[in-house]
mmCIF file of all heavy atoms in Angstrom:
data_model
loop_
_atom_site.group_PDB
_atom_site.id
_atom_site.type_symbol
_atom_site.label_atom_id
_atom_site.label_comp_id
_atom_site.label_asym_id
_atom_site.label_seq_id
_atom_site.Cartn_x
_atom_site.Cartn_y
_atom_site.Cartn_z
ATOM 1 N N GLY Q 175 -2.228 1.931 -8.460
ATOM 2 C CA GLY Q 175 -2.107 2.670 -7.273
ATOM 3 C C GLY Q 175 -3.278 3.475 -6.920
ATOM 4 O O GLY Q 175 -4.189 3.657 -7.812
ATOM 5 N N ALA Q 176 -3.421 3.899 -5.712
ATOM 6 C CA ALA Q 176 -4.560 4.751 -5.248
ATOM 7 C C ALA Q 176 -4.153 5.748 -4.267
ATOM 8 O O ALA Q 176 -3.263 5.572 -3.511
ATOM 9 C CB ALA Q 176 -5.639 3.881 -4.655
ATOM 10 N N ILE Q 177 -4.807 6.887 -4.303
ATOM 11 C CA ILE Q 177 -4.582 7.963 -3.344
ATOM 12 C C ILE Q 177 -5.904 8.228 -2.717
ATOM 13 O O ILE Q 177 -6.932 8.443 -3.320
ATOM 14 C CB ILE Q 177 -4.096 9.266 -4.002
ATOM 15 C CG1 ILE Q 177 -2.757 9.037 -4.763
ATOM 16 C CG2 ILE Q 177 -3.937 10.348 -2.998
ATOM 17 C CD1 ILE Q 177 -2.264 10.183 -5.544
ATOM 18 N N PHE Q 178 -5.919 8.057 -1.254
ATOM 19 C CA PHE Q 178 -7.147 8.221 -0.593
ATOM 20 C C PHE Q 178 -7.043 9.361 0.479
ATOM 21 O O PHE Q 178 -5.946 9.580 0.996
ATOM 22 C CB PHE Q 178 -7.517 6.950 0.187
ATOM 23 C CG PHE Q 178 -7.846 5.767 -0.712
ATOM 24 C CD1 PHE Q 178 -6.999 4.682 -0.771
ATOM 25 C CD2 PHE Q 178 -9.019 5.779 -1.410
ATOM 26 C CE1 PHE Q 178 -7.304 3.608 -1.567
ATOM 27 C CE2 PHE Q 178 -9.307 4.741 -2.240
ATOM 28 C CZ PHE Q 178 -8.549 3.588 -2.270
ATOM 29 N N ASP Q 179 -8.097 9.947 0.800
ATOM 30 C CA ASP Q 179 -8.210 10.901 1.914
ATOM 31 C C ASP Q 179 -7.990 10.076 3.171
ATOM 32 O O ASP Q 179 -8.296 8.810 3.311
ATOM 33 C CB ASP Q 179 -9.581 11.526 1.945
ATOM 34 C CG ASP Q 179 -9.691 12.532 3.057
ATOM 35 O OD1 ASP Q 179 -10.019 12.087 4.193
ATOM 36 O OD2 ASP Q 179 -9.585 13.720 2.776
ATOM 37 N N GLU Q 180 -7.361 10.694 4.170
ATOM 38 C CA GLU Q 180 -7.016 10.034 5.442
ATOM 39 C C GLU Q 180 -8.227 9.321 6.072
ATOM 40 O O GLU Q 180 -8.036 8.341 6.781
ATOM 41 C CB GLU Q 180 -6.376 10.948 6.376
ATOM 42 C CG GLU Q 180 -4.934 11.393 5.959
ATOM 43 C CD GLU Q 180 -4.372 12.498 6.882
ATOM 44 O OE1 GLU Q 180 -5.117 13.098 7.599
ATOM 45 O OE2 GLU Q 180 -3.173 12.677 6.751
ATOM 46 N N SER Q 181 -9.397 9.809 5.806
ATOM 47 C CA SER Q 181 -10.620 9.288 6.490
ATOM 48 C C SER Q 181 -11.180 8.115 5.688
ATOM 49 O O SER Q 181 -12.173 7.589 6.085
ATOM 50 C CB SER Q 181 -11.637 10.368 6.606
ATOM 51 O OG SER Q 181 -12.107 10.860 5.318
ATOM 52 N N ALA Q 182 -10.527 7.693 4.567
ATOM 53 C CA ALA Q 182 -11.103 6.657 3.683
ATOM 54 C C ALA Q 182 -10.497 5.284 3.905
ATOM 55 O O ALA Q 182 -10.152 4.553 2.954
ATOM 56 C CB ALA Q 182 -10.927 7.129 2.329
ATOM 57 N N LYS Q 183 -10.368 4.862 5.172
ATOM 58 C CA LYS Q 183 -9.778 3.557 5.495
ATOM 59 C C LYS Q 183 -10.600 2.431 4.830
ATOM 60 O O LYS Q 183 -10.041 1.427 4.352
ATOM 61 C CB LYS Q 183 -9.709 3.372 6.979
ATOM 62 C CG LYS Q 183 -8.749 4.327 7.649
ATOM 63 C CD LYS Q 183 -7.349 4.169 7.179
ATOM 64 C CE LYS Q 183 -6.433 5.101 7.930
ATOM 65 N NZ LYS Q 183 -5.055 4.976 7.524
ATOM 66 N N LYS Q 184 -11.916 2.547 4.803
ATOM 67 C CA LYS Q 184 -12.783 1.547 4.213
ATOM 68 C C LYS Q 184 -12.587 1.437 2.671
ATOM 69 O O LYS Q 184 -12.565 0.380 2.148
ATOM 70 C CB LYS Q 184 -14.231 1.801 4.563
ATOM 71 C CG LYS Q 184 -15.155 0.690 4.333
ATOM 72 C CD LYS Q 184 -14.867 -0.393 5.330
ATOM 73 C CE LYS Q 184 -15.930 -1.519 5.260
ATOM 74 N NZ LYS Q 184 -15.743 -2.631 6.189
ATOM 75 N N ASP Q 185 -12.351 2.578 2.128
ATOM 76 C CA ASP Q 185 -12.114 2.538 0.645
ATOM 77 C C ASP Q 185 -10.782 1.804 0.359
ATOM 78 O O ASP Q 185 -10.712 1.069 -0.722
ATOM 79 C CB ASP Q 185 -12.004 4.024 0.110
ATOM 80 C CG ASP Q 185 -13.305 4.663 0.154
ATOM 81 O OD1 ASP Q 185 -14.368 4.058 0.306
ATOM 82 O OD2 ASP Q 185 -13.271 5.958 0.082
ATOM 83 N N GLU Q 186 -9.771 1.984 1.175
ATOM 84 C CA GLU Q 186 -8.562 1.234 1.026
ATOM 85 C C GLU Q 186 -8.810 -0.250 1.044
ATOM 86 O O GLU Q 186 -8.293 -1.087 0.248
ATOM 87 C CB GLU Q 186 -7.499 1.603 2.012
ATOM 88 C CG GLU Q 186 -6.247 0.829 1.861
ATOM 89 C CD GLU Q 186 -5.382 0.746 3.112
ATOM 90 O OE1 GLU Q 186 -5.883 1.071 4.203
ATOM 91 O OE2 GLU Q 186 -4.227 0.278 3.004
ATOM 92 N N GLU Q 187 -9.586 -0.693 2.000
ATOM 93 C CA GLU Q 187 -9.895 -2.126 2.106
ATOM 94 C C GLU Q 187 -10.597 -2.647 0.871
ATOM 95 O O GLU Q 187 -10.269 -3.721 0.336
ATOM 96 C CB GLU Q 187 -10.776 -2.368 3.429
ATOM 97 C CG GLU Q 187 -11.084 -3.772 3.647
ATOM 98 C CD GLU Q 187 -11.913 -3.985 4.858
ATOM 99 O OE1 GLU Q 187 -12.037 -3.021 5.661
ATOM 100 O OE2 GLU Q 187 -12.525 -5.059 5.019
ATOM 101 N N VAL Q 188 -11.555 -1.911 0.383
ATOM 102 C CA VAL Q 188 -12.306 -2.315 -0.854
ATOM 103 C C VAL Q 188 -11.351 -2.347 -2.071
ATOM 104 O O VAL Q 188 -11.405 -3.332 -2.898
ATOM 105 C CB VAL Q 188 -13.434 -1.347 -1.105
ATOM 106 C CG1 VAL Q 188 -14.086 -1.610 -2.457
ATOM 107 C CG2 VAL Q 188 -14.501 -1.533 0.115
ATOM 108 N N PHE Q 189 -10.435 -1.354 -2.180
ATOM 109 C CA PHE Q 189 -9.480 -1.298 -3.291
ATOM 110 C C PHE Q 189 -8.573 -2.564 -3.207
ATOM 111 O O PHE Q 189 -8.328 -3.259 -4.237
ATOM 112 C CB PHE Q 189 -8.635 -0.094 -3.210
ATOM 113 C CG PHE Q 189 -7.542 0.064 -4.231
ATOM 114 C CD1 PHE Q 189 -7.886 0.291 -5.541
ATOM 115 C CD2 PHE Q 189 -6.267 -0.151 -3.871
ATOM 116 C CE1 PHE Q 189 -6.833 0.382 -6.475
ATOM 117 C CE2 PHE Q 189 -5.236 -0.003 -4.822
ATOM 118 C CZ PHE Q 189 -5.567 0.224 -6.107
ATOM 119 N N ARG Q 190 -8.035 -2.926 -1.992
ATOM 120 C CA ARG Q 190 -7.225 -4.011 -1.900
ATOM 121 C C ARG Q 190 -7.966 -5.364 -2.158
ATOM 122 O O ARG Q 190 -7.397 -6.298 -2.833
ATOM 123 C CB ARG Q 190 -6.569 -4.035 -0.439
ATOM 124 C CG ARG Q 190 -5.526 -3.021 -0.226
ATOM 125 C CD ARG Q 190 -4.794 -3.171 1.069
ATOM 126 N NE ARG Q 190 -3.924 -2.044 1.323
ATOM 127 C CZ ARG Q 190 -2.708 -1.982 0.847
ATOM 128 N NH1 ARG Q 190 -2.199 -2.942 0.126
ATOM 129 N NH2 ARG Q 190 -1.952 -0.948 1.145
ATOM 130 N N MET Q 191 -9.129 -5.470 -1.769
ATOM 131 C CA MET Q 191 -9.934 -6.631 -2.094
ATOM 132 C C MET Q 191 -10.203 -6.782 -3.590
ATOM 133 O O MET Q 191 -10.140 -7.913 -4.126
ATOM 134 C CB MET Q 191 -11.301 -6.602 -1.324
ATOM 135 C CG MET Q 191 -11.153 -6.775 0.151
ATOM 136 S SD MET Q 191 -12.724 -6.600 1.038
ATOM 137 C CE MET Q 191 -13.782 -7.795 0.353
ATOM 138 N N ALA Q 192 -10.437 -5.645 -4.280
ATOM 139 C CA ALA Q 192 -10.658 -5.643 -5.690
ATOM 140 C C ALA Q 192 -9.370 -6.141 -6.466
ATOM 141 O O ALA Q 192 -9.507 -6.960 -7.332
ATOM 142 C CB ALA Q 192 -11.068 -4.287 -6.257
ATOM 143 N N VAL Q 193 -8.238 -5.675 -6.063
ATOM 144 C CA VAL Q 193 -7.053 -6.118 -6.645
ATOM 145 C C VAL Q 193 -6.809 -7.636 -6.334
ATOM 146 O O VAL Q 193 -6.431 -8.362 -7.262
ATOM 147 C CB VAL Q 193 -5.777 -5.292 -6.075
ATOM 148 C CG1 VAL Q 193 -4.472 -5.915 -6.503
ATOM 149 C CG2 VAL Q 193 -5.864 -3.851 -6.599
ATOM 150 N N ALA Q 194 -7.066 -8.060 -5.147
ATOM 151 C CA ALA Q 194 -6.933 -9.508 -4.840
ATOM 152 C C ALA Q 194 -7.859 -10.331 -5.690
ATOM 153 O O ALA Q 194 -7.448 -11.368 -6.203
ATOM 154 C CB ALA Q 194 -7.166 -9.720 -3.376
ATOM 155 N N ASP Q 195 -9.082 -9.889 -5.899
ATOM 156 C CA ASP Q 195 -10.014 -10.666 -6.769
ATOM 157 C C ASP Q 195 -9.450 -10.695 -8.188
ATOM 158 O O ASP Q 195 -9.638 -11.704 -8.803
ATOM 159 C CB ASP Q 195 -11.471 -10.019 -6.727
ATOM 160 C CG ASP Q 195 -12.138 -10.273 -5.404
ATOM 161 O OD1 ASP Q 195 -11.733 -11.161 -4.604
ATOM 162 O OD2 ASP Q 195 -13.204 -9.616 -5.103
ATOM 163 N N LEU Q 196 -9.019 -9.621 -8.724
ATOM 164 C CA LEU Q 196 -8.429 -9.613 -10.077
ATOM 165 C C LEU Q 196 -7.267 -10.623 -10.227
ATOM 166 O O LEU Q 196 -7.231 -11.379 -11.122
ATOM 167 C CB LEU Q 196 -8.005 -8.227 -10.466
ATOM 168 C CG LEU Q 196 -8.956 -7.233 -10.881
ATOM 169 C CD1 LEU Q 196 -8.326 -5.873 -11.107
ATOM 170 C CD2 LEU Q 196 -9.675 -7.663 -12.137
ATOM 171 N N ASN Q 197 -6.434 -10.605 -9.176
ATOM 172 C CA ASN Q 197 -5.271 -11.542 -9.222
ATOM 173 C C ASN Q 197 -5.714 -13.016 -9.159
ATOM 174 O O ASN Q 197 -4.965 -13.849 -9.684
ATOM 175 C CB ASN Q 197 -4.284 -11.212 -8.110
ATOM 176 C CG ASN Q 197 -3.447 -9.967 -8.410
ATOM 177 O OD1 ASN Q 197 -3.245 -9.609 -9.535
ATOM 178 N ND2 ASN Q 197 -3.026 -9.343 -7.365
ATOM 179 N N GLN Q 198 -6.835 -13.265 -8.584
ATOM 180 C CA GLN Q 198 -7.360 -14.639 -8.448
ATOM 181 C C GLN Q 198 -8.043 -15.112 -9.739
ATOM 182 O O GLN Q 198 -8.245 -16.363 -9.872
ATOM 183 C CB GLN Q 198 -8.183 -14.831 -7.234
ATOM 184 C CG GLN Q 198 -7.373 -14.720 -5.946
ATOM 185 C CD GLN Q 198 -8.270 -14.793 -4.748
ATOM 186 O OE1 GLN Q 198 -9.442 -14.978 -4.804
ATOM 187 N NE2 GLN Q 198 -7.710 -14.625 -3.549
ATOM 188 N N ASN Q 199 -8.425 -14.228 -10.653
ATOM 189 C CA ASN Q 199 -9.165 -14.565 -11.767
ATOM 190 C C ASN Q 199 -8.279 -14.759 -12.953
ATOM 191 O O ASN Q 199 -7.867 -13.773 -13.612
ATOM 192 C CB ASN Q 199 -10.248 -13.408 -12.066
ATOM 193 C CG ASN Q 199 -11.255 -13.812 -13.172
ATOM 194 O OD1 ASN Q 199 -10.933 -14.673 -14.008
ATOM 195 N ND2 ASN Q 199 -12.389 -13.238 -13.067
ATOM 196 N N ASP Q 200 -8.032 -15.977 -13.311
ATOM 197 C CA ASP Q 200 -7.092 -16.355 -14.370
ATOM 198 C C ASP Q 200 -7.662 -15.956 -15.771
ATOM 199 O O ASP Q 200 -6.914 -15.866 -16.773
ATOM 200 C CB ASP Q 200 -6.705 -17.822 -14.317
ATOM 201 C CG ASP Q 200 -5.843 -18.142 -13.201
ATOM 202 O OD1 ASP Q 200 -5.204 -17.238 -12.645
ATOM 203 O OD2 ASP Q 200 -5.908 -19.330 -12.740
ATOM 204 N N GLU Q 201 -8.931 -15.762 -15.903
ATOM 205 C CA GLU Q 201 -9.560 -15.315 -17.144
ATOM 206 C C GLU Q 201 -9.264 -13.877 -17.432
ATOM 207 O O GLU Q 201 -9.222 -13.467 -18.660
ATOM 208 C CB GLU Q 201 -11.063 -15.551 -17.137
ATOM 209 C CG GLU Q 201 -11.455 -17.037 -17.084
ATOM 210 C CD GLU Q 201 -12.970 -17.217 -17.034
ATOM 211 O OE1 GLU Q 201 -13.745 -16.245 -17.273
ATOM 212 O OE2 GLU Q 201 -13.382 -18.376 -16.763
ATOM 213 N N ILE Q 202 -9.049 -13.113 -16.463
ATOM 214 C CA ILE Q 202 -8.767 -11.643 -16.652
ATOM 215 C C ILE Q 202 -7.236 -11.432 -16.760
ATOM 216 O O ILE Q 202 -6.736 -10.819 -17.681
ATOM 217 C CB ILE Q 202 -9.408 -10.785 -15.561
ATOM 218 C CG1 ILE Q 202 -10.870 -10.893 -15.587
ATOM 219 C CG2 ILE Q 202 -8.913 -9.319 -15.732
ATOM 220 C CD1 ILE Q 202 -11.596 -10.234 -14.381
ATOM 221 N N LEU Q 203 -6.485 -11.997 -15.823
ATOM 222 C CA LEU Q 203 -5.040 -11.798 -15.826
ATOM 223 C C LEU Q 203 -4.457 -13.222 -15.922
ATOM 224 O O LEU Q 203 -4.245 -13.884 -14.924
ATOM 225 C CB LEU Q 203 -4.572 -11.115 -14.521
ATOM 226 C CG LEU Q 203 -5.104 -9.686 -14.244
ATOM 227 C CD1 LEU Q 203 -4.676 -9.198 -12.858
ATOM 228 C CD2 LEU Q 203 -4.528 -8.756 -15.300
ATOM 229 N N GLN Q 204 -4.126 -13.634 -17.149
ATOM 230 C CA GLN Q 204 -3.679 -15.015 -17.300
ATOM 231 C C GLN Q 204 -2.277 -15.251 -16.781
ATOM 232 O O GLN Q 204 -1.974 -16.240 -16.128
ATOM 233 C CB GLN Q 204 -3.737 -15.331 -18.779
ATOM 234 C CG GLN Q 204 -5.162 -15.640 -19.284
ATOM 235 C CD GLN Q 204 -5.616 -14.709 -20.295
ATOM 236 O OE1 GLN Q 204 -4.770 -14.056 -21.006
ATOM 237 N NE2 GLN Q 204 -6.838 -14.608 -20.496
ATOM 238 N N THR Q 205 -1.347 -14.263 -17.049
ATOM 239 C CA THR Q 205 -0.013 -14.516 -16.642
ATOM 240 C C THR Q 205 0.567 -13.454 -15.691
ATOM 241 O O THR Q 205 1.587 -13.660 -15.146
ATOM 242 C CB THR Q 205 0.928 -14.610 -17.902
ATOM 243 O OG1 THR Q 205 0.808 -13.409 -18.659
ATOM 244 C CG2 THR Q 205 0.561 -15.765 -18.820
ATOM 245 N N GLU Q 206 -0.088 -12.361 -15.629
ATOM 246 C CA GLU Q 206 0.412 -11.191 -14.850
ATOM 247 C C GLU Q 206 -0.384 -11.108 -13.562
ATOM 248 O O GLU Q 206 -1.456 -11.542 -13.442
ATOM 249 C CB GLU Q 206 0.339 -9.899 -15.562
ATOM 250 C CG GLU Q 206 1.248 -9.741 -16.756
ATOM 251 C CD GLU Q 206 0.684 -10.316 -17.974
ATOM 252 O OE1 GLU Q 206 -0.558 -10.534 -18.072
ATOM 253 O OE2 GLU Q 206 1.408 -10.633 -18.941
ATOM 254 N N LYS Q 207 0.234 -10.425 -12.577
ATOM 255 C CA LYS Q 207 -0.401 -10.166 -11.323
ATOM 256 C C LYS Q 207 -0.156 -8.673 -11.089
ATOM 257 O O LYS Q 207 0.834 -8.118 -11.383
ATOM 258 C CB LYS Q 207 0.118 -10.938 -10.126
ATOM 259 C CG LYS Q 207 -0.091 -12.429 -10.285
ATOM 260 C CD LYS Q 207 -1.552 -12.774 -10.383
ATOM 261 C CE LYS Q 207 -1.774 -14.256 -10.614
ATOM 262 N NZ LYS Q 207 -3.072 -14.663 -11.011
ATOM 263 N N ILE Q 208 -1.137 -7.999 -10.439
ATOM 264 C CA ILE Q 208 -0.967 -6.592 -10.083
ATOM 265 C C ILE Q 208 -0.727 -6.460 -8.579
ATOM 266 O O ILE Q 208 -1.149 -7.302 -7.827
ATOM 267 C CB ILE Q 208 -2.162 -5.755 -10.593
ATOM 268 C CG1 ILE Q 208 -3.425 -6.228 -10.079
ATOM 269 C CG2 ILE Q 208 -2.147 -5.731 -12.083
ATOM 270 C CD1 ILE Q 208 -4.634 -5.394 -10.364
ATOM 271 N N THR Q 209 -0.078 -5.360 -8.194
ATOM 272 C CA THR Q 209 0.171 -5.092 -6.782
ATOM 273 C C THR Q 209 -0.488 -3.800 -6.401
ATOM 274 O O THR Q 209 -0.806 -2.964 -7.292
ATOM 275 C CB THR Q 209 1.703 -5.037 -6.488
ATOM 276 O OG1 THR Q 209 2.227 -3.930 -7.298
ATOM 277 C CG2 THR Q 209 2.378 -6.354 -6.809
ATOM 278 N N CYS Q 210 -0.662 -3.609 -5.146
ATOM 279 C CA CYS Q 210 -1.288 -2.401 -4.600
ATOM 280 C C CYS Q 210 -0.234 -1.400 -4.176
ATOM 281 O O CYS Q 210 0.783 -1.746 -3.648
ATOM 282 C CB CYS Q 210 -2.144 -2.665 -3.396
ATOM 283 S SG CYS Q 210 -3.622 -3.612 -3.690
ATOM 284 N N SER Q 211 -0.502 -0.128 -4.418
ATOM 285 C CA SER Q 211 0.290 0.950 -3.852
ATOM 286 C C SER Q 211 -0.763 1.957 -3.369
ATOM 287 O O SER Q 211 -1.458 2.624 -4.198
ATOM 288 C CB SER Q 211 1.194 1.533 -4.950
ATOM 289 O OG SER Q 211 1.860 2.706 -4.374
ATOM 290 N N VAL Q 212 -0.831 2.152 -2.047
ATOM 291 C CA VAL Q 212 -1.797 3.052 -1.520
ATOM 292 C C VAL Q 212 -1.154 4.142 -0.724
ATOM 293 O O VAL Q 212 -0.182 3.836 0.044
ATOM 294 C CB VAL Q 212 -2.769 2.297 -0.571
ATOM 295 C CG1 VAL Q 212 -3.724 3.196 0.152
ATOM 296 C CG2 VAL Q 212 -3.552 1.173 -1.288
ATOM 297 N N THR Q 213 -1.549 5.354 -0.888
ATOM 298 C CA THR Q 213 -1.093 6.521 -0.182
ATOM 299 C C THR Q 213 -2.251 7.329 0.392
ATOM 300 O O THR Q 213 -3.285 7.464 -0.304
ATOM 301 C CB THR Q 213 -0.291 7.472 -1.137
ATOM 302 O OG1 THR Q 213 0.814 6.680 -1.651
ATOM 303 C CG2 THR Q 213 0.302 8.644 -0.357
ATOM 304 N N PHE Q 214 -2.139 7.742 1.619
ATOM 305 C CA PHE Q 214 -3.185 8.566 2.219
ATOM 306 C C PHE Q 214 -2.624 10.008 2.262
ATOM 307 O O PHE Q 214 -1.448 10.252 2.562
ATOM 308 C CB PHE Q 214 -3.448 8.076 3.693
ATOM 309 C CG PHE Q 214 -4.241 6.740 3.648
ATOM 310 C CD1 PHE Q 214 -3.534 5.569 3.795
ATOM 311 C CD2 PHE Q 214 -5.611 6.726 3.535
ATOM 312 C CE1 PHE Q 214 -4.206 4.334 3.807
ATOM 313 C CE2 PHE Q 214 -6.283 5.557 3.547
ATOM 314 C CZ PHE Q 214 -5.559 4.381 3.685
ATOM 315 N N VAL Q 215 -3.571 10.931 1.997
ATOM 316 C CA VAL Q 215 -3.178 12.344 1.969
ATOM 317 C C VAL Q 215 -4.261 13.097 2.794
ATOM 318 O O VAL Q 215 -5.320 12.659 3.050
ATOM 319 C CB VAL Q 215 -3.229 12.952 0.524
ATOM 320 C CG1 VAL Q 215 -2.093 12.268 -0.229
ATOM 321 C CG2 VAL Q 215 -4.502 12.796 -0.133
ATOM 322 N N ASP Q 216 -3.896 14.334 3.196
ATOM 323 C CA ASP Q 216 -4.783 15.199 3.965
ATOM 324 C C ASP Q 216 -5.767 15.697 2.999
ATOM 325 O O ASP Q 216 -5.399 16.351 1.910
ATOM 326 C CB ASP Q 216 -3.978 16.296 4.561
ATOM 327 C CG ASP Q 216 -4.847 17.299 5.310
ATOM 328 O OD1 ASP Q 216 -6.107 17.161 5.400
ATOM 329 O OD2 ASP Q 216 -4.279 18.293 5.811
ATOM 330 N N GLY Q 217 -7.080 15.423 3.154
ATOM 331 C CA GLY Q 217 -8.175 15.885 2.313
ATOM 332 C C GLY Q 217 -8.277 17.374 2.160
ATOM 333 O O GLY Q 217 -8.848 17.845 1.130
ATOM 334 N N ASN Q 218 -7.670 18.118 3.017
ATOM 335 C CA ASN Q 218 -7.749 19.580 2.894
ATOM 336 C C ASN Q 218 -6.458 20.175 2.186
ATOM 337 O O ASN Q 218 -6.353 21.401 2.205
ATOM 338 C CB ASN Q 218 -7.773 20.170 4.361
ATOM 339 C CG ASN Q 218 -9.131 19.830 5.037
ATOM 340 O OD1 ASN Q 218 -10.155 19.798 4.457
ATOM 341 N ND2 ASN Q 218 -9.029 19.532 6.255
ATOM 342 N N ASN Q 219 -5.671 19.272 1.699
ATOM 343 C CA ASN Q 219 -4.380 19.730 0.967
ATOM 344 C C ASN Q 219 -4.378 19.208 -0.350
ATOM 345 O O ASN Q 219 -3.716 18.164 -0.624
ATOM 346 C CB ASN Q 219 -3.253 19.326 1.886
ATOM 347 C CG ASN Q 219 -1.917 19.894 1.358
ATOM 348 O OD1 ASN Q 219 -1.875 20.443 0.268
ATOM 349 N ND2 ASN Q 219 -0.854 19.805 2.093
ATOM 350 N N PRO Q 220 -5.032 19.859 -1.349
ATOM 351 C CA PRO Q 220 -4.993 19.221 -2.715
ATOM 352 C C PRO Q 220 -3.559 19.187 -3.359
ATOM 353 O O PRO Q 220 -3.375 18.326 -4.183
ATOM 354 C CB PRO Q 220 -5.962 20.220 -3.536
ATOM 355 C CG PRO Q 220 -5.988 21.513 -2.724
ATOM 356 C CD PRO Q 220 -5.759 21.068 -1.230
ATOM 357 N N PHE Q 221 -2.702 20.030 -2.901
ATOM 358 C CA PHE Q 221 -1.435 20.033 -3.357
ATOM 359 C C PHE Q 221 -0.625 18.767 -3.024
ATOM 360 O O PHE Q 221 0.156 18.178 -3.774
ATOM 361 C CB PHE Q 221 -0.597 21.210 -3.003
ATOM 362 C CG PHE Q 221 -1.156 22.447 -3.476
ATOM 363 C CD1 PHE Q 221 -1.776 23.327 -2.622
ATOM 364 C CD2 PHE Q 221 -1.144 22.819 -4.833
ATOM 365 C CE1 PHE Q 221 -2.358 24.501 -3.045
ATOM 366 C CE2 PHE Q 221 -1.675 23.954 -5.297
ATOM 367 C CZ PHE Q 221 -2.317 24.822 -4.415
ATOM 368 N N GLN Q 222 -0.960 18.159 -1.861
ATOM 369 C CA GLN Q 222 -0.288 16.934 -1.456
ATOM 370 C C GLN Q 222 -0.768 15.785 -2.389
ATOM 371 O O GLN Q 222 0.060 14.921 -2.776
ATOM 372 C CB GLN Q 222 -0.639 16.598 0.012
ATOM 373 C CG GLN Q 222 0.005 15.392 0.524
ATOM 374 C CD GLN Q 222 -0.350 15.006 1.966
ATOM 375 O OE1 GLN Q 222 -1.369 15.511 2.441
ATOM 376 N NE2 GLN Q 222 0.333 14.121 2.500
ATOM 377 N N ALA Q 223 -2.015 15.737 -2.695
ATOM 378 C CA ALA Q 223 -2.589 14.708 -3.560
ATOM 379 C C ALA Q 223 -1.939 14.837 -4.935
ATOM 380 O O ALA Q 223 -1.511 13.847 -5.513
ATOM 381 C CB ALA Q 223 -4.098 14.844 -3.710
ATOM 382 N N VAL Q 224 -1.695 16.032 -5.507
ATOM 383 C CA VAL Q 224 -1.042 16.210 -6.791
ATOM 384 C C VAL Q 224 0.403 15.743 -6.713
ATOM 385 O O VAL Q 224 0.844 15.119 -7.637
ATOM 386 C CB VAL Q 224 -1.131 17.685 -7.220
ATOM 387 C CG1 VAL Q 224 -0.261 17.985 -8.398
ATOM 388 C CG2 VAL Q 224 -2.571 18.090 -7.514
ATOM 389 N N GLN Q 225 1.078 16.023 -5.608
ATOM 390 C CA GLN Q 225 2.490 15.628 -5.528
ATOM 391 C C GLN Q 225 2.595 14.102 -5.416
ATOM 392 O O GLN Q 225 3.478 13.514 -6.001
ATOM 393 C CB GLN Q 225 3.152 16.231 -4.219
ATOM 394 C CG GLN Q 225 3.353 17.657 -4.386
ATOM 395 C CD GLN Q 225 3.976 18.216 -3.074
ATOM 396 O OE1 GLN Q 225 3.606 17.804 -1.986
ATOM 397 N NE2 GLN Q 225 4.833 19.249 -3.223
ATOM 398 N N GLU Q 226 1.649 13.423 -4.781
ATOM 399 C CA GLU Q 226 1.667 11.948 -4.677
ATOM 400 C C GLU Q 226 1.415 11.380 -6.095
ATOM 401 O O GLU Q 226 1.925 10.397 -6.441
ATOM 402 C CB GLU Q 226 0.637 11.414 -3.690
ATOM 403 C CG GLU Q 226 0.965 11.809 -2.291
ATOM 404 C CD GLU Q 226 2.284 11.260 -1.719
ATOM 405 O OE1 GLU Q 226 2.766 10.190 -2.229
ATOM 406 O OE2 GLU Q 226 2.870 11.895 -0.823
#
């Protein structure tokens, strides 16, 4: 999973692409696949990030 600041839409895209690349590489993940869980939080509210 990942927690991003609301302004980090590009970071989410990169994260999802990295997970997809890992899932396609059978040498790294032979039998398992991983899934994405992304949450966006207000960058000015550190308590929200901790709660997530």
Side-chain angles (χ1 to χ4, degrees):
I177 300 173
F178 295 110
D179 183 278
E180 291 173 343
S181 64
K183 296 294 182 185
K184 195 68 170 177
D185 293 340
E186 176 203 11
E187 183 180 343
V188 171
F189 177 73
R190 289 186 185 277
M191 288 174 61
V193 169
D195 285 348
L196 281 173
N197 282 334
Q198 291 177 1
N199 188 334
D200 291 335
E201 292 179 13
I202 296 174
L203 298 174
Q204 285 117 20
T205 58
E206 293 84 19
K207 299 296 179 199
I208 55 176
T209 59
C210 289
S211 175
V212 176
T213 301
F214 288 95
V215 296
D216 179 0
N218 296 320
N219 186 350
F221 298 108
Q222 184 184 13
V224 170
Q225 287 178 326
E226 293 297 332

